[in-house]
Amino acid sequence: KPSFRGTVEAESPPPPPLPHQIILHNILIGKQQQQQSPHQNHEFSIFQSIADASLPALWKFDAQCLSNLAYANAIIDSYPIFQDGTTLFDHIAKRSIPLLSTFRPQTFSN
């Protein structure tokens, strides 16, 4: 990054996470072990628990709820996988098809 004298200084690395940040990360996302794929299933994460709880009621979700659920998982690269091998995104897509006419730009941004 440029300094006041016009020279370029190297950016310092970010500080290591604090213990409470590590604990919160592990609760919300799950412990990061060696990642086997770009879409690692964090089976003990809160996001997997939310996906498991959402699946039976997914047919009740409107366009905005589906968008919010997909966005929340996508933003942290959470890819919940169910016991039958399907993913949360498979189920969101299947539920979204009949609702396509109800999706509005505002639905996607909120």
Side-chain angles (χ1 to χ4, degrees):
K1 68 183 182 183
S3 71
F4 291 110
R5 297 186 197 111
T7 60
V8 176
E9 297 177 9
E11 289 193 29
S12 53
L18 299 172
H20 69 278
Q21 292 170 319
I22 294 170
I23 292 168
L24 186 58
H25 177 274
N26 290 344
I27 290 170
L28 293 175
I29 299 175
K31 291 185 178 183
Q32 294 283 341
Q33 297 174 355
Q34 290 183 336
Q35 197 162 346
Q36 298 168 355
S37 74
H39 302 290
Q40 182 179 10
N41 180 26
H42 304 291
E43 62 185 65
F44 298 110
S45 77
I46 195 167
F47 287 91
Q48 182 69 49
S49 297
I50 292 169
D52 291 339
S54 298
L55 188 59
L58 206 60
W59 65 272
K60 298 178 187 178
F61 285 28
D62 63 9
Q64 186 168 0
C65 291
L66 292 169
S67 295
N68 290 344
L69 184 60
Y71 181 75
N73 281 275
I75 195 121
I76 65 151
D77 201 27
S78 174
Y79 198 73
I81 299 174
F82 301 107
Q83 290 182 356
D84 65 359
T86 61
T87 69
L88 176 63
F89 294 103
D90 294 331
H91 291 275
I92 290 173
K94 185 177 180 180
R95 173 65 183 127
S96 297
I97 292 170
L99 300 176
L100 285 177
S101 64
T102 66
F103 281 84
R104 304 282 180 256
Q106 185 70 19
T107 304
F108 293 115
S109 64
N110 288 333

